[in-house]
Amino acid sequence: MLGFQPPAIGDEEIAAVTETLRSGWLTTGPRTVELEERFAEYVGAEHVLAIASGTAALHLSLLALGVGPGDEVITSPITWPATANVVVHTGATPVFADVRDSDLNIDPERVAELVSDRTKVILPVHLAGQPCDMDPLFDLALPIVEDAAHAAESAYRGRKIGALSEATCFSLYATKNIAAGEGGLISTNDSKVAEAINDLRIMRRMQGSLYDIVVPGYKANLSDVLASIALVQLGKVEKHREIRERQFAAYDAAIAELEGLETLERDSRDTHAMHLYVVRVDPERAGGTRDEYRARLAEQNIATSIHFLPVHKLTAYRELFPDQVPLPVAEKAGDEIFSVPLTPAHSDEDIGDAVAALRRVHASFTG
Ligand SMILES: Cc1ncc(COP(=O)(O)O)c(C=O)c1O
């Protein structure tokens, strides 16, 4: 089976972990601080805070901005459920704005229609690495927390994602472009937000030789063991992106010839992080549904995934918020999209195998 997104871990990461284990620091320490400094330089932000996960990064960012019961947070339905779950964890209500058909990113026009006096934060998600259309969101003059789990290398109109809004949240999860297994990073230029997140993540502030707490915080700090992996991965980020760029080009070339299959639009004014290659199936023209394509690819030993099923249709959200309004663009796309293998751990030959399988499967449906 050709894996969907196995991690690209080499001898350097293994050596870095060994060195950290021998250093005497297992928890947050010098490697974590170094990661924060290097990532701040990379994205051009004043502050970076290392966090236990991308999910916790989003949660603490919302709390730091004062989100709580009675508030609304407007977000995308085409995302990993964590994006909406953390809104629920704060006691606020997630309000889903439909996405644009072109790239399945949140549609700023739909967001503008949903803004109310309860709206506390807008939470856009840069799906697959394509930045959202940020200028119309900035025009709404509300605090923004970006879900940049897919967008480590992304830039919006020449400006790096990570230094644009109140807080930007990255993930170091096993499949991500900078992977440590688990972990997250928050970047911000607001020192008050940074301080609030720091109090929430580590539960402790030294006062001379004693400790004190200023809020009943969480345990959401990152360990040096994971930070040491992320540091090596950060050093490889451009090299790995170049490999994925070639993989994107191979898929683009195939898709262009396969009737009924498309990928998501990429805006040439932006830098795309090329985190996921999403294939969209028009069942009429492609001769089969998304689920049939995935099943046949699995028979050909090609693993695929879905990014994402619309969150508001998942059981917890149907039960918690039964009055959700229909989101036709997201719901249609949710039935039509799947993601193909993409990772620097795969060789050009591996991706060639995936492309050949996609062509065979397409031929089997279209005769
Ligand atoms: C869009 C998106 N948001 C948030 C997350 C949560 O990140 P983590 O797994 O690091 O908690 C993920 C993925 O894992 C994601 O894909």
Side-chain angles (χ1 to χ4, degrees):
M1 197 78 176
L2 186 71
F4 171 63
Q5 265 182 337
I9 293 296
D11 292 339
E12 302 90 335
E13 285 85 348
I14 293 166
V17 168
T18 307
E19 198 183 312
T20 302
L21 291 175
R22 292 210 166 102
S23 75
W25 273 104
L26 292 181
T27 182
T28 306
R31 291 283 82 78
T32 307
V33 173
E34 189 184 341
L35 174 64
E36 291 175 335
E37 289 171 357
R38 292 245 322 260
F39 197 73
E41 204 175 300
Y42 178 64
V43 295
E46 269 174 53
H47 310 276
V48 166
L49 295 108
I51 303 290
S53 69
T55 304
L58 289 164
H59 185 204
L60 299 198
S61 296
L62 294 179
L63 291 173
L65 288 166
V67 175
D71 296 330
E72 292 179 350
V73 174
I74 302 177
T75 192
S76 171
I78 300 289
T79 186
W80 182 239
T83 317
N85 292 346
V86 296
V87 177
V88 176
H89 296 164
T90 67
T93 302
V95 174
F96 297 106
D98 209 351
V99 293
R100 304 191 300 191
D101 198 53
S102 55
D103 60 7
L104 306 185
N105 272 337
I106 201 166
D107 186 334
E109 286 181 28
R110 300 287 86 76
V111 175
E113 290 163 4
L114 291 166
V115 170
S116 75
D117 27 339
R118 294 173 65 190
T119 309
K120 190 84 174 192
V121 162
I122 298 171
L123 175 34
V125 182
H126 306 302
L127 184 69
Q130 167 61 50
C132 293
D133 190 9
M134 295 301 289
D135 284 329
L137 297 180
F138 292 138
D139 288 346
L140 298 170
L142 281 159
I144 293 179
V145 173
E146 290 167 71
D147 183 334
H150 302 177
E153 303 93 329
S154 299
Y156 173 70
R157 312 287 195 267
R159 295 156 71 200
K160 196 92 184 58
I161 293 293
L164 303 182
S165 54
E166 278 70 11
T168 307
C169 300
F170 299 87
S171 166
L172 304 173
Y173 178 67
T175 58
K176 298 297 190 271
N177 292 358
I178 300 169
E182 298 289 352
L185 295 164
I186 305 170
S187 63
T188 178
N189 288 329
D190 185 327
S191 46
K192 287 220 168 65
V193 171
E195 191 174 303
I197 292 168
N198 191 44
D199 286 334
L200 287 163
R201 79 171 161 176
I202 205 151
M203 261 194 56
R204 187 150 65 155
R205 247 192 209 191
M206 294 313 288
Q207 305 279 6
S209 62
L210 301 176
Y211 64 81
D212 189 19
I213 62 162
V214 291
V215 283
Y218 297 82
K219 191 71 198 312
N221 53 311
L222 189 74
S223 92
D224 261 24
V225 179
L226 297 177
S228 63
I229 303 174
L231 272 165
V232 178
Q233 291 264 302
L234 178 56
K236 296 177 175 175
V237 74
E238 291 307 327
K239 189 180 94 185
H240 280 170
R241 187 176 177 283
E242 278 165 28
I243 299 172
R244 293 195 311 277
E245 219 168 72
R246 283 209 304 277
Q247 301 180 344
F248 256 64
Y251 285 124
D252 276 347
I255 294 280
E257 292 170 8
L258 301 177
E259 173 77 10
L261 301 189
E262 278 177 11
T263 190
L264 305 183
E265 265 181 37
R266 308 196 289 275
D267 192 323
S268 59
R269 294 171 294 180
D270 301 326
T271 304
H272 194 291
M274 303 200 163
H275 175 58
L276 295 166
Y277 195 95
V278 175
V279 177
R280 188 161 178 176
V281 183
D282 173 357
E284 296 281 306
R285 293 187 298 134
T289 62
R290 181 269 310 277
D291 296 339
E292 289 166 342
Y293 265 79
R294 288 191 74 207
R296 265 194 212 175
L297 282 164
E299 283 166 20
Q300 307 258 340
N301 293 324
I302 306 296
T304 60
S305 188
I306 298 177
H307 300 87
F308 292 100
L309 298 173
V311 177
H312 67 294
K313 302 297 273 185
L314 302 176
T315 303
Y317 284 85
R318 281 192 283 104
E319 288 177 3
L320 277 169
F321 308 104
D323 301 330
Q324 294 284 353
V325 292
L327 302 170
V329 183
E331 286 162 30
K332 182 164 188 291
D335 288 336
E336 296 182 346
I337 50 177
F338 70 95
S339 312
V340 286
L342 184 87
T343 157
H346 284 333
S347 64
D348 290 349
E349 198 185 12
D350 290 333
I351 299 301
D353 289 346
V355 165
L358 192 59
R359 287 182 188 279
R360 278 196 301 277
V361 168
H362 184 268
S364 75
F365 283 120
T366 54

